[in-house]
Amino acid sequence: MNDVSPEFAAATTEATMVQINGNRLAVEVLGPEGAPVLIAHHGAPGLGSRAEPRASFGRLADTYRVVVFDARGSGQSEGKGTFSHEQWAADIDALREWIGAEQVIMAGGSYGGFMAMEYATRYPDRVRAMVLRDTSPDNSHEEKALANALATTRVEIDRDKLDRIFAGTVRDNDDLRDCWREILPLYDYVYDPDAVEKKVAATPYRYEAHNHAFQVNIPNYDLKPVLPQVTAPTLITVGRTDWITPVACSETIASLIPGSRLVVFEKSGHSPQIEEAEAWTKVVREFLADVVT
């Protein structure tokens, strides 16, 4: 595994700043013109960046036109206006229009999976296939994650910091960093304290987007009623020991989306695209080859 997982790191590659719905978003386009377009959404609003989807879905840029970006309020993008799911999904659709695709493969991990499903249910005619990783169909994962955090034997979790990051009540970027450090030891299949500190240092902190996501969006998040309407072929992947969006969450998604496929990676936590990169990429590549014509 890399010393610093791109799951939680600021992008170091050059982006194009694109005007999308009143915000300049940092966007990268990988792969050949004319290839099927795949838009990949990063996780962790206010903590994530395009670095993770660039590293994972970018592997497919030999076959697909891969679009990765920092969502409004995250990474290097501007953060004007609202951070609602409705707005973030509208930003995805504006990116689709910008790249000139009638339909896209929609992909995302963790909170990016929330947004992939939000997009697929809000703009169903625009999605030709969907790839999800370590995500949840509703906010029930929070109760499971809190229980997992408090039960861990890896580290002793500061309950106040845990509650603050989950409630979306962090005070500023420094406070977000301190709370983030508290839960990062839980993410990987194998715990490496040195790697945790490197990730803390590499993460881009934007507390406003984080707070809105956890204080406003997640309490109202529940796609279970609409997921049975998804007609796009869907692949769901998850790590066996994922603490924050456990396997049960992916199993629920698989039970709701007709004809979807679920693959569990036995030696991964929240990041099979990193911890079992070769196997995960093979599964995604074979799925897309099968369903995207």
Side-chain angles (χ1 to χ4, degrees), residues 144-210:
K144 299 179 178 73
L146 286 169
N148 288 337
L150 295 173
T152 186
T153 57
R154 287 186 174 186
V155 290
E156 187 173 341
I157 298 290
D158 182 319
R159 182 61 192 262
D160 183 57
K161 291 180 181 178
L162 177 68
D163 288 345
R164 225 161 45 247
I165 197 167
F166 267 79
T169 55
V170 300
R171 295 181 288 269
D172 51 31
N173 286 336
D174 289 338
D175 189 34
L176 180 56
R177 181 185 296 108
D178 288 344
C179 294
W180 185 228
R181 179 183 281 109
E182 203 65 27
I183 63 173
L184 262 174
L186 305 176
Y187 277 87
D188 292 335
Y189 186 71
V190 177
Y191 172 43
D192 179 350
D194 291 337
V196 165
E197 285 306 310
K198 289 176 181 176
K199 291 174 190 176
V200 169
T203 298
Y205 297 95
R206 302 281 297 276
Y207 81 98
E208 297 95 341
H210 167 83

Short mmCIF file of all heavy atoms in Angstrom, two decimals, residues 144-210:
data_model
loop_
_atom_site.label_atom_id
_atom_site.label_comp_id
_atom_site.label_asym_id
_atom_site.label_seq_id
_atom_site.Cartn_x
_atom_site.Cartn_y
_atom_site.Cartn_z
N LYS A 144 -24.17 2.18 13.06
CA LYS A 144 -23.24 1.06 13.00
C LYS A 144 -21.80 1.54 13.16
O LYS A 144 -21.00 0.92 13.87
CB LYS A 144 -23.39 0.33 11.65
CG LYS A 144 -24.76 -0.27 11.37
CD LYS A 144 -24.79 -0.94 10.01
CE LYS A 144 -26.11 -1.61 9.69
NZ LYS A 144 -27.18 -0.63 9.40
N ALA A 145 -21.47 2.65 12.50
CA ALA A 145 -20.10 3.17 12.56
C ALA A 145 -19.74 3.63 13.97
O ALA A 145 -18.62 3.39 14.44
CB ALA A 145 -19.95 4.32 11.57
N LEU A 146 -20.66 4.30 14.65
CA LEU A 146 -20.39 4.74 16.01
C LEU A 146 -20.14 3.55 16.93
O LEU A 146 -19.22 3.57 17.75
CB LEU A 146 -21.57 5.58 16.53
CG LEU A 146 -21.68 6.99 15.96
CD1 LEU A 146 -23.02 7.61 16.32
CD2 LEU A 146 -20.54 7.86 16.45
N ALA A 147 -20.94 2.51 16.76
CA ALA A 147 -20.74 1.30 17.56
C ALA A 147 -19.38 0.67 17.26
O ALA A 147 -18.66 0.25 18.18
CB ALA A 147 -21.86 0.30 17.30
N ASN A 148 -19.01 0.62 15.99
CA ASN A 148 -17.70 0.05 15.61
C ASN A 148 -16.56 0.88 16.18
O ASN A 148 -15.54 0.34 16.64
CB ASN A 148 -17.59 -0.03 14.10
CG ASN A 148 -18.46 -1.11 13.50
OD1 ASN A 148 -18.84 -2.06 14.19
ND2 ASN A 148 -18.80 -0.98 12.23
N ALA A 149 -16.69 2.20 16.14
CA ALA A 149 -15.63 3.08 16.65
C ALA A 149 -15.44 2.89 18.14
O ALA A 149 -14.30 2.84 18.64
CB ALA A 149 -15.97 4.53 16.33
N LEU A 150 -16.54 2.78 18.86
CA LEU A 150 -16.45 2.66 20.31
C LEU A 150 -15.98 1.26 20.74
O LEU A 150 -15.45 1.09 21.84
CB LEU A 150 -17.80 2.99 20.94
CG LEU A 150 -18.25 4.44 20.76
CD1 LEU A 150 -19.68 4.63 21.25
CD2 LEU A 150 -17.30 5.39 21.47
N ALA A 151 -16.16 0.28 19.86
CA ALA A 151 -15.77 -1.09 20.18
C ALA A 151 -14.34 -1.42 19.76
O ALA A 151 -13.81 -2.48 20.13
CB ALA A 151 -16.73 -2.08 19.51
N THR A 152 -13.69 -0.54 19.00
CA THR A 152 -12.38 -0.87 18.46
C THR A 152 -11.34 -1.08 19.57
O THR A 152 -11.40 -0.44 20.62
CB THR A 152 -11.88 0.23 17.51
OG1 THR A 152 -10.66 -0.20 16.91
CG2 THR A 152 -11.64 1.54 18.24
N THR A 153 -10.41 -1.98 19.30
CA THR A 153 -9.29 -2.20 20.21
C THR A 153 -8.00 -1.60 19.64
O THR A 153 -6.94 -1.71 20.26
CB THR A 153 -9.08 -3.71 20.46
OG1 THR A 153 -8.88 -4.37 19.19
CG2 THR A 153 -10.29 -4.31 21.14
N ARG A 154 -8.08 -0.96 18.48
CA ARG A 154 -6.88 -0.38 17.88
C ARG A 154 -6.38 0.83 18.66
O ARG A 154 -5.19 0.99 18.91
CB ARG A 154 -7.19 0.06 16.44
CG ARG A 154 -7.34 -1.06 15.47
CD ARG A 154 -7.51 -0.55 14.04
NE ARG A 154 -7.52 -1.65 13.10
CZ ARG A 154 -7.54 -1.52 11.79
NH1 ARG A 154 -7.56 -0.30 11.26
NH2 ARG A 154 -7.54 -2.57 11.00
N VAL A 155 -7.32 1.71 18.98
CA VAL A 155 -7.01 2.94 19.70
C VAL A 155 -8.17 3.23 20.64
O VAL A 155 -9.25 2.67 20.51
CB VAL A 155 -6.83 4.14 18.73
CG1 VAL A 155 -5.56 4.02 17.91
CG2 VAL A 155 -8.05 4.29 17.83
N GLU A 156 -7.93 4.14 21.58
CA GLU A 156 -9.02 4.61 22.43
C GLU A 156 -9.56 5.90 21.83
O GLU A 156 -8.84 6.89 21.69
CB GLU A 156 -8.53 4.85 23.86
CG GLU A 156 -9.65 5.18 24.81
CD GLU A 156 -9.20 5.26 26.26
OE1 GLU A 156 -8.13 4.73 26.58
OE2 GLU A 156 -9.94 5.88 27.07
N ILE A 157 -10.81 5.88 21.42
CA ILE A 157 -11.42 7.00 20.72
C ILE A 157 -11.91 8.05 21.71
O ILE A 157 -12.58 7.72 22.70
CB ILE A 157 -12.60 6.51 19.84
CG1 ILE A 157 -12.11 5.52 18.77
CG2 ILE A 157 -13.33 7.69 19.22
CD1 ILE A 157 -11.29 6.14 17.68
N ASP A 158 -11.58 9.30 21.45
CA ASP A 158 -12.11 10.41 22.23
C ASP A 158 -13.57 10.62 21.82
O ASP A 158 -13.84 11.05 20.70
CB ASP A 158 -11.27 11.66 21.95
CG ASP A 158 -11.72 12.88 22.76
OD1 ASP A 158 -12.95 13.09 22.89
OD2 ASP A 158 -10.85 13.63 23.23
N ARG A 159 -14.49 10.32 22.71
CA ARG A 159 -15.91 10.34 22.37
C ARG A 159 -16.38 11.74 21.96
O ARG A 159 -17.22 11.88 21.06
CB ARG A 159 -16.75 9.83 23.56
CG ARG A 159 -18.26 9.78 23.29
CD ARG A 159 -18.56 8.82 22.14
NE ARG A 159 -19.92 8.94 21.67
CZ ARG A 159 -20.93 8.14 22.03
NH1 ARG A 159 -20.72 7.16 22.91
NH2 ARG A 159 -22.12 8.30 21.54
N ASP A 160 -15.83 12.77 22.58
CA ASP A 160 -16.25 14.12 22.24
C ASP A 160 -15.88 14.47 20.80
O ASP A 160 -16.69 15.03 20.05
CB ASP A 160 -15.61 15.13 23.19
CG ASP A 160 -16.08 16.55 22.91
OD1 ASP A 160 -17.30 16.79 22.95
OD2 ASP A 160 -15.22 17.41 22.63
N LYS A 161 -14.67 14.12 20.39
CA LYS A 161 -14.24 14.39 19.01
C LYS A 161 -15.03 13.54 18.02
O LYS A 161 -15.39 14.00 16.94
CB LYS A 161 -12.74 14.15 18.87
CG LYS A 161 -11.89 15.15 19.61
CD LYS A 161 -10.41 14.86 19.42
CE LYS A 161 -9.55 15.87 20.19
NZ LYS A 161 -8.11 15.57 20.04
N LEU A 162 -15.28 12.29 18.39
CA LEU A 162 -16.07 11.40 17.54
C LEU A 162 -17.46 11.99 17.33
O LEU A 162 -17.96 12.05 16.20
CB LEU A 162 -16.17 10.02 18.20
CG LEU A 162 -17.03 8.97 17.50
CD1 LEU A 162 -16.41 8.54 16.18
CD2 LEU A 162 -17.23 7.75 18.41
N ASP A 163 -18.08 12.43 18.40
CA ASP A 163 -19.43 13.00 18.30
C ASP A 163 -19.43 14.28 17.47
O ASP A 163 -20.36 14.52 16.69
CB ASP A 163 -19.99 13.29 19.70
CG ASP A 163 -20.36 12.02 20.45
OD1 ASP A 163 -20.45 10.95 19.79
OD2 ASP A 163 -20.55 12.09 21.68
N ARG A 164 -18.39 15.09 17.60
CA ARG A 164 -18.35 16.37 16.90
C ARG A 164 -18.22 16.19 15.39
O ARG A 164 -18.88 16.86 14.61
CB ARG A 164 -17.19 17.23 17.43
CG ARG A 164 -17.59 18.64 17.67
CD ARG A 164 -16.75 19.47 18.58
NE ARG A 164 -15.32 19.41 18.42
CZ ARG A 164 -14.50 18.91 19.32
NH1 ARG A 164 -14.99 18.37 20.42
NH2 ARG A 164 -13.20 18.91 19.13
N ILE A 165 -17.39 15.24 14.98
CA ILE A 165 -17.21 15.05 13.54
C ILE A 165 -18.45 14.40 12.93
O ILE A 165 -18.86 14.73 11.82
CB ILE A 165 -15.93 14.25 13.22
CG1 ILE A 165 -15.55 14.43 11.74
CG2 ILE A 165 -16.04 12.79 13.59
CD1 ILE A 165 -14.14 13.96 11.39
N PHE A 166 -19.12 13.53 13.69
CA PHE A 166 -20.33 12.88 13.18
C PHE A 166 -21.54 13.82 13.20
O PHE A 166 -22.43 13.70 12.37
CB PHE A 166 -20.63 11.60 13.96
CG PHE A 166 -20.05 10.37 13.34
CD1 PHE A 166 -18.70 10.07 13.49
CD2 PHE A 166 -20.82 9.52 12.57
CE1 PHE A 166 -18.15 8.94 12.91
CE2 PHE A 166 -20.28 8.39 11.98
CZ PHE A 166 -18.93 8.10 12.15
N ALA A 167 -21.55 14.75 14.15
CA ALA A 167 -22.67 15.68 14.24
C ALA A 167 -22.51 16.87 13.29
O ALA A 167 -23.45 17.63 13.08
CB ALA A 167 -22.83 16.18 15.67
N GLY A 168 -21.31 17.04 12.72
CA GLY A 168 -21.07 18.19 11.86
C GLY A 168 -21.02 19.48 12.64
O GLY A 168 -21.54 20.51 12.21
N THR A 169 -20.37 19.43 13.80
CA THR A 169 -20.27 20.62 14.65
C THR A 169 -18.81 20.97 14.94
O THR A 169 -18.51 21.52 16.00
CB THR A 169 -21.03 20.41 15.98
OG1 THR A 169 -20.55 19.22 16.62
CG2 THR A 169 -22.52 20.29 15.73
N VAL A 170 -17.91 20.65 13.99
CA VAL A 170 -16.52 21.05 14.20
C VAL A 170 -16.42 22.56 14.05
O VAL A 170 -17.17 23.19 13.32
CB VAL A 170 -15.56 20.33 13.22
CG1 VAL A 170 -15.64 18.82 13.43
CG2 VAL A 170 -15.85 20.67 11.77
N ARG A 171 -15.46 23.17 14.80
CA ARG A 171 -15.42 24.62 14.93
C ARG A 171 -14.71 25.33 13.78
O ARG A 171 -15.05 26.45 13.42
CB ARG A 171 -14.76 24.98 16.26
CG ARG A 171 -15.57 24.52 17.48
CD ARG A 171 -14.89 24.93 18.77
NE ARG A 171 -13.70 24.15 19.04
CZ ARG A 171 -13.68 23.03 19.75
NH1 ARG A 171 -14.82 22.55 20.25
NH2 ARG A 171 -12.56 22.39 19.98
N ASP A 172 -13.70 24.68 13.24
CA ASP A 172 -12.90 25.29 12.17
C ASP A 172 -12.05 24.18 11.55
O ASP A 172 -12.19 23.00 11.91
CB ASP A 172 -12.02 26.42 12.71
CG ASP A 172 -11.19 26.02 13.92
OD1 ASP A 172 -10.80 24.82 14.03
OD2 ASP A 172 -10.89 26.90 14.77
N ASN A 173 -11.18 24.54 10.62
CA ASN A 173 -10.37 23.52 9.95
C ASN A 173 -9.41 22.81 10.90
O ASN A 173 -9.15 21.62 10.76
CB ASN A 173 -9.60 24.14 8.78
CG ASN A 173 -10.50 24.44 7.60
OD1 ASN A 173 -11.55 23.83 7.43
ND2 ASN A 173 -10.09 25.38 6.76
N ASP A 174 -8.88 23.53 11.87
CA ASP A 174 -7.98 22.89 12.84
C ASP A 174 -8.74 21.87 13.69
O ASP A 174 -8.23 20.78 13.98
CB ASP A 174 -7.35 23.95 13.75
CG ASP A 174 -6.32 24.81 13.03
OD1 ASP A 174 -5.79 24.34 11.98
OD2 ASP A 174 -6.04 25.92 13.48
N ASP A 175 -9.95 22.20 14.07
CA ASP A 175 -10.77 21.28 14.85
C ASP A 175 -11.14 20.06 14.00
O ASP A 175 -11.14 18.92 14.49
CB ASP A 175 -12.02 21.98 15.36
CG ASP A 175 -12.80 21.16 16.37
OD1 ASP A 175 -12.16 20.41 17.15
OD2 ASP A 175 -14.04 21.26 16.39
N LEU A 176 -11.46 20.30 12.73
CA LEU A 176 -11.76 19.18 11.84
C LEU A 176 -10.55 18.25 11.73
O LEU A 176 -10.70 17.02 11.76
CB LEU A 176 -12.16 19.70 10.45
CG LEU A 176 -12.51 18.66 9.40
CD1 LEU A 176 -13.62 17.72 9.86
CD2 LEU A 176 -12.90 19.34 8.08
N ARG A 177 -9.36 18.82 11.65
CA ARG A 177 -8.14 18.01 11.57
C ARG A 177 -7.99 17.14 12.84
O ARG A 177 -7.68 15.95 12.75
CB ARG A 177 -6.92 18.90 11.41
CG ARG A 177 -5.60 18.13 11.29
CD ARG A 177 -4.39 19.05 11.24
NE ARG A 177 -4.41 19.87 10.05
CZ ARG A 177 -4.67 21.18 10.03
NH1 ARG A 177 -4.93 21.82 11.17
NH2 ARG A 177 -4.66 21.85 8.90
N ASP A 178 -8.23 17.74 14.00
CA ASP A 178 -8.09 16.98 15.25
C ASP A 178 -9.12 15.85 15.33
O ASP A 178 -8.80 14.73 15.77
CB ASP A 178 -8.26 17.92 16.45
CG ASP A 178 -7.07 18.85 16.63
OD1 ASP A 178 -6.00 18.58 16.03
OD2 ASP A 178 -7.20 19.85 17.36
N CYS A 179 -10.34 16.14 14.94
CA CYS A 179 -11.39 15.12 14.98
C CYS A 179 -11.12 14.03 13.94
O CYS A 179 -11.39 12.84 14.18
CB CYS A 179 -12.76 15.76 14.74
SG CYS A 179 -13.30 16.88 16.04
N TRP A 180 -10.60 14.43 12.80
CA TRP A 180 -10.28 13.49 11.72
C TRP A 180 -9.20 12.52 12.16
O TRP A 180 -9.28 11.32 11.91
CB TRP A 180 -9.84 14.30 10.51
CG TRP A 180 -9.57 13.58 9.23
CD1 TRP A 180 -8.48 13.74 8.43
CD2 TRP A 180 -10.40 12.64 8.55
NE1 TRP A 180 -8.58 12.96 7.31
CE2 TRP A 180 -9.76 12.27 7.36
CE3 TRP A 180 -11.65 12.08 8.85
CZ2 TRP A 180 -10.28 11.35 6.47
CZ3 TRP A 180 -12.18 11.15 7.95
CH2 TRP A 180 -11.51 10.82 6.78
N ARG A 181 -8.17 13.05 12.84
CA ARG A 181 -7.09 12.20 13.35
C ARG A 181 -7.64 11.12 14.27
O ARG A 181 -7.12 10.00 14.32
CB ARG A 181 -6.06 13.06 14.09
CG ARG A 181 -4.91 12.26 14.69
CD ARG A 181 -3.95 13.13 15.48
NE ARG A 181 -3.04 13.85 14.60
CZ ARG A 181 -3.10 15.16 14.40
NH1 ARG A 181 -4.05 15.88 14.99
NH2 ARG A 181 -2.22 15.75 13.61
N GLU A 182 -8.71 11.45 14.96
CA GLU A 182 -9.28 10.53 15.94
C GLU A 182 -9.84 9.27 15.28
O GLU A 182 -9.72 8.17 15.83
CB GLU A 182 -10.39 11.26 16.71
CG GLU A 182 -10.70 10.67 18.06
CD GLU A 182 -9.54 10.79 19.04
OE1 GLU A 182 -8.70 11.71 18.90
OE2 GLU A 182 -9.46 9.93 19.93
N ILE A 183 -10.47 9.42 14.11
CA ILE A 183 -11.14 8.26 13.50
C ILE A 183 -10.34 7.59 12.38
O ILE A 183 -10.66 6.47 11.98
CB ILE A 183 -12.54 8.64 12.98
CG1 ILE A 183 -12.48 9.68 11.86
CG2 ILE A 183 -13.42 9.11 14.13
CD1 ILE A 183 -13.84 9.95 11.20
N LEU A 184 -9.29 8.23 11.89
CA LEU A 184 -8.53 7.66 10.78
C LEU A 184 -7.94 6.28 11.07
O LEU A 184 -7.83 5.46 10.16
CB LEU A 184 -7.41 8.62 10.35
CG LEU A 184 -7.73 9.50 9.16
CD1 LEU A 184 -6.61 10.50 8.92
CD2 LEU A 184 -7.96 8.68 7.90
N PRO A 185 -7.54 5.97 12.32
CA PRO A 185 -7.01 4.62 12.57
C PRO A 185 -7.98 3.49 12.26
O PRO A 185 -7.57 2.33 12.15
CB PRO A 185 -6.69 4.66 14.07
CG PRO A 185 -6.42 6.08 14.38
CD PRO A 185 -7.40 6.83 13.50
N LEU A 186 -9.26 3.82 12.07
CA LEU A 186 -10.27 2.78 11.87
C LEU A 186 -10.43 2.35 10.42
O LEU A 186 -11.07 1.33 10.15
CB LEU A 186 -11.63 3.28 12.39
CG LEU A 186 -11.66 3.76 13.84
CD1 LEU A 186 -13.03 4.32 14.18
CD2 LEU A 186 -11.29 2.62 14.79
N TYR A 187 -9.87 3.08 9.49
CA TYR A 187 -10.22 2.91 8.08
C TYR A 187 -9.57 1.71 7.39
O TYR A 187 -10.20 1.04 6.57
CB TYR A 187 -9.90 4.18 7.30
CG TYR A 187 -10.97 5.23 7.40
CD1 TYR A 187 -10.97 6.15 8.45
CD2 TYR A 187 -12.01 5.30 6.48
CE1 TYR A 187 -11.97 7.11 8.56
CE2 TYR A 187 -13.01 6.25 6.58
CZ TYR A 187 -12.98 7.15 7.62
OH TYR A 187 -13.96 8.09 7.73
N ASP A 188 -8.31 1.46 7.66
CA ASP A 188 -7.57 0.48 6.88
C ASP A 188 -7.69 -0.93 7.45
O ASP A 188 -7.93 -1.12 8.65
CB ASP A 188 -6.09 0.86 6.80
CG ASP A 188 -5.87 2.13 5.98
OD1 ASP A 188 -6.72 2.41 5.11
OD2 ASP A 188 -4.87 2.82 6.21
N TYR A 189 -7.48 -1.90 6.59
CA TYR A 189 -7.52 -3.31 7.01
C TYR A 189 -6.41 -3.58 8.03
O TYR A 189 -6.62 -4.28 9.02
CB TYR A 189 -7.35 -4.20 5.77
CG TYR A 189 -7.50 -5.68 6.02
CD1 TYR A 189 -8.75 -6.24 6.31
CD2 TYR A 189 -6.40 -6.54 5.96
CE1 TYR A 189 -8.89 -7.59 6.53
CE2 TYR A 189 -6.53 -7.90 6.17
CZ TYR A 189 -7.78 -8.42 6.47
OH TYR A 189 -7.92 -9.77 6.68
N VAL A 190 -5.24 -3.02 7.76
CA VAL A 190 -4.10 -3.13 8.68
C VAL A 190 -3.78 -1.73 9.21
O VAL A 190 -3.56 -0.80 8.43
CB VAL A 190 -2.86 -3.71 7.97
CG1 VAL A 190 -1.67 -3.75 8.92
CG2 VAL A 190 -3.17 -5.12 7.45
N TYR A 191 -3.76 -1.58 10.52
CA TYR A 191 -3.53 -0.28 11.14
C TYR A 191 -2.04 0.07 11.15
O TYR A 191 -1.21 -0.70 11.63
CB TYR A 191 -4.08 -0.30 12.57
CG TYR A 191 -3.75 0.93 13.39
CD1 TYR A 191 -3.85 2.21 12.86
CD2 TYR A 191 -3.36 0.79 14.73
CE1 TYR A 191 -3.56 3.32 13.62
CE2 TYR A 191 -3.08 1.90 15.50
CZ TYR A 191 -3.17 3.16 14.94
OH TYR A 191 -2.88 4.26 15.70
N ASP A 192 -1.73 1.24 10.62
CA ASP A 192 -0.36 1.73 10.58
C ASP A 192 -0.36 3.17 11.12
O ASP A 192 -0.77 4.09 10.42
CB ASP A 192 0.18 1.70 9.14
CG ASP A 192 1.60 2.22 9.02
OD1 ASP A 192 2.12 2.78 10.01
OD2 ASP A 192 2.19 2.08 7.93
N PRO A 193 0.08 3.37 12.37
CA PRO A 193 0.03 4.72 12.97
C PRO A 193 0.79 5.76 12.17
O PRO A 193 0.35 6.92 12.08
CB PRO A 193 0.67 4.51 14.35
CG PRO A 193 0.47 3.06 14.65
CD PRO A 193 0.57 2.37 13.33
N ASP A 194 1.92 5.39 11.57
CA ASP A 194 2.68 6.35 10.77
C ASP A 194 1.89 6.79 9.54
O ASP A 194 1.90 7.97 9.16
CB ASP A 194 4.02 5.74 10.34
CG ASP A 194 4.97 5.56 11.51
OD1 ASP A 194 4.79 6.26 12.53
OD2 ASP A 194 5.89 4.72 11.42
N ALA A 195 1.20 5.84 8.91
CA ALA A 195 0.39 6.17 7.73
C ALA A 195 -0.74 7.11 8.11
O ALA A 195 -1.10 8.01 7.33
CB ALA A 195 -0.15 4.90 7.09
N VAL A 196 -1.31 6.93 9.28
CA VAL A 196 -2.39 7.80 9.74
C VAL A 196 -1.91 9.25 9.82
O VAL A 196 -2.58 10.17 9.33
CB VAL A 196 -2.93 7.34 11.11
CG1 VAL A 196 -3.79 8.44 11.75
CG2 VAL A 196 -3.75 6.07 10.96
N GLU A 197 -0.73 9.46 10.41
CA GLU A 197 -0.22 10.82 10.54
C GLU A 197 0.07 11.45 9.18
O GLU A 197 -0.15 12.65 8.97
CB GLU A 197 1.02 10.84 11.43
CG GLU A 197 0.72 10.68 12.90
CD GLU A 197 -0.31 11.70 13.40
OE1 GLU A 197 -0.14 12.92 13.14
OE2 GLU A 197 -1.29 11.28 14.04
N LYS A 198 0.54 10.65 8.24
CA LYS A 198 0.78 11.16 6.89
C LYS A 198 -0.53 11.56 6.22
O LYS A 198 -0.60 12.57 5.51
CB LYS A 198 1.52 10.12 6.06
CG LYS A 198 2.97 9.92 6.49
CD LYS A 198 3.65 8.81 5.71
CE LYS A 198 5.09 8.62 6.19
NZ LYS A 198 5.75 7.48 5.51
N LYS A 199 -1.58 10.77 6.45
CA LYS A 199 -2.88 11.11 5.87
C LYS A 199 -3.45 12.38 6.50
O LYS A 199 -4.04 13.21 5.81
CB LYS A 199 -3.86 9.95 6.06
CG LYS A 199 -3.52 8.72 5.23
CD LYS A 199 -4.44 7.57 5.58
CE LYS A 199 -3.97 6.28 4.93
NZ LYS A 199 -4.80 5.14 5.33
N VAL A 200 -3.27 12.53 7.81
CA VAL A 200 -3.74 13.74 8.49
C VAL A 200 -3.09 14.97 7.86
O VAL A 200 -3.73 15.99 7.62
CB VAL A 200 -3.43 13.68 10.00
CG1 VAL A 200 -3.67 15.03 10.66
CG2 VAL A 200 -4.29 12.61 10.68
N ALA A 201 -1.79 14.85 7.59
CA ALA A 201 -1.05 15.98 7.01
C ALA A 201 -1.45 16.25 5.57
O ALA A 201 -1.39 17.39 5.10
CB ALA A 201 0.45 15.71 7.10
N ALA A 202 -1.86 15.20 4.84
CA ALA A 202 -2.13 15.34 3.40
C ALA A 202 -3.56 15.75 3.09
O ALA A 202 -3.85 16.20 1.98
CB ALA A 202 -1.83 14.01 2.69
N THR A 203 -4.47 15.62 4.04
CA THR A 203 -5.89 15.87 3.80
C THR A 203 -6.18 17.37 3.63
O THR A 203 -5.67 18.18 4.40
CB THR A 203 -6.73 15.32 4.98
OG1 THR A 203 -6.55 13.91 5.07
CG2 THR A 203 -8.21 15.63 4.79
N PRO A 204 -7.00 17.74 2.64
CA PRO A 204 -7.42 19.14 2.51
C PRO A 204 -8.66 19.41 3.38
O PRO A 204 -9.67 18.72 3.25
CB PRO A 204 -7.77 19.26 1.02
CG PRO A 204 -8.23 17.88 0.63
CD PRO A 204 -7.49 16.91 1.53
N TYR A 205 -8.59 20.38 4.27
CA TYR A 205 -9.67 20.60 5.24
C TYR A 205 -10.56 21.77 4.84
O TYR A 205 -10.08 22.88 4.65
CB TYR A 205 -9.07 20.82 6.64
CG TYR A 205 -8.33 19.60 7.14
CD1 TYR A 205 -6.95 19.49 6.96
CD2 TYR A 205 -9.01 18.55 7.73
CE1 TYR A 205 -6.27 18.36 7.39
CE2 TYR A 205 -8.34 17.41 8.16
CZ TYR A 205 -6.97 17.32 7.98
OH TYR A 205 -6.30 16.19 8.38
N ARG A 206 -11.86 21.49 4.71
CA ARG A 206 -12.86 22.52 4.37
C ARG A 206 -14.08 22.26 5.28
O ARG A 206 -15.03 21.57 4.91
CB ARG A 206 -13.25 22.41 2.89
CG ARG A 206 -12.09 22.55 1.90
CD ARG A 206 -11.68 23.99 1.67
NE ARG A 206 -12.75 24.77 1.08
CZ ARG A 206 -13.01 24.82 -0.24
NH1 ARG A 206 -12.28 24.11 -1.10
NH2 ARG A 206 -14.00 25.57 -0.70
N TYR A 207 -14.02 22.80 6.49
CA TYR A 207 -14.98 22.39 7.52
C TYR A 207 -16.42 22.76 7.20
O TYR A 207 -17.36 22.08 7.65
CB TYR A 207 -14.56 22.93 8.89
CG TYR A 207 -14.92 24.36 9.16
CD1 TYR A 207 -16.06 24.69 9.90
CD2 TYR A 207 -14.14 25.41 8.67
CE1 TYR A 207 -16.40 26.00 10.15
CE2 TYR A 207 -14.47 26.73 8.92
CZ TYR A 207 -15.60 27.02 9.66
OH TYR A 207 -15.95 28.32 9.91
N GLU A 208 -16.65 23.83 6.42
CA GLU A 208 -18.03 24.24 6.15
C GLU A 208 -18.79 23.14 5.40
O GLU A 208 -19.94 22.83 5.73
CB GLU A 208 -18.05 25.54 5.34
CG GLU A 208 -17.45 26.73 6.05
CD GLU A 208 -15.99 26.95 5.70
OE1 GLU A 208 -15.35 26.00 5.20
OE2 GLU A 208 -15.50 28.08 5.92
N ALA A 209 -18.16 22.56 4.37
CA ALA A 209 -18.83 21.50 3.60
C ALA A 209 -19.03 20.26 4.47
O ALA A 209 -20.08 19.60 4.40
CB ALA A 209 -18.03 21.16 2.35
N HIS A 210 -18.02 19.95 5.28
CA HIS A 210 -18.17 18.78 6.17
C HIS A 210 -19.35 18.98 7.12
O HIS A 210 -20.20 18.08 7.27
CB HIS A 210 -16.89 18.55 6.98
CG HIS A 210 -17.11 17.58 8.10
ND1 HIS A 210 -17.07 16.22 7.91
CD2 HIS A 210 -17.47 17.77 9.40
CE1 HIS A 210 -17.37 15.61 9.06
NE2 HIS A 210 -17.62 16.54 9.97
#
